Amino acid sequence: ENNVRSLVEVIKRRRLRSVAAGRAGGAMFWLAVVSAFQPGPPRALAAIAHTTSRGPIFAKIGRTTSRHHQQPRYTPDVPVKNETPKRSPSTPPLDIPALARALGEENADANALLNSASAGRQLGGKSYYKLLRALRKNGAWAGCYKTVLWMGKHAPQRLNARHVTVAIGACGDAKQDGAVRKLVDLMYSQPEGASLRPDLISLNAAIHACALANAPDAALSLLHEAMPRAQLTPDKYSYGAALDALSRAGRSRDALGLLGRMERGSAGVA
């Protein structure tokens, strides 16, 4: 016990700070000191703890170990900005009030569809078809036209050639050949595998609409360019609508030439 006390006095005098610099082996040092001597009574160990705990050595050990055992603080590589994440723009709704005015109060079924759309419910393909037919029946060509364009942009999976055919007929009734051409372009602008593809019925309706709008060149373009592009063979209705467009425009010579092609069988009429 005297040897241990003398060793403690030496440590206090020399202040061996480097021995217990706060590393993990600091505590093991004291165990090595005690184990180097013959184990003394418990009061000897208590004297060591009491003497050294008030000195500067253990104070430094305590500060160092607490720093090493401190939980690491998360520091991200990129500073996080307190900004609200940008949301993708939601689909703009249909112009329900304008369509309701175009329909009038007598179209109860179509107005019921508009009420469903205004309540946030998604309409199916058949519902859109009923709505377009009601608009055309009421002479609202602009409503048909805008609705189909909206479907092509925001609901392409529900749009098919039947919807476009109704809108083309409504635009033809109003002699809006520019709107007819845009609807035809919409059919050809769809990606491969889309539900909307040009067919013979829709293109025949477009040729007839151009005839009503007194646009024979557009009708001939649909006959000679648009149909081959879609790998479609014109039928008698296609040529009949093109002949009607030429006769309405007073282009009798061009009409006779087209008729002669049909009679010779070189036109490939289906």
Side-chain angles (χ1 to χ4, degrees), residues 175-208:
K175 300 181 180 181
Q176 300 291 331
D177 58 297
V180 172
R181 288 195 292 267
K182 289 184 178 180
L183 290 173
V184 173
D185 292 339
L186 175 65
M187 289 191 292
Y188 283 94
S189 64
Q190 298 301 309
E192 192 69 25
S195 58
L196 175 60
R197 302 298 299 170
D199 58 6
L200 193 59
I201 296 176
S202 60
L203 292 181
N204 284 346
I207 296 175
H208 178 65

Side-chain angles (χ1 to χ4, degrees), residues 154-180:
H154 303 291
Q157 70 279 3
R158 296 179 176 85
L159 183 63
N160 55 43
R162 295 181 64 198
H163 303 107
V164 180
T165 302
V166 175
I168 287 175
C171 295
D173 296 339
K175 300 181 180 181
Q176 300 291 331
D177 58 297
V180 172

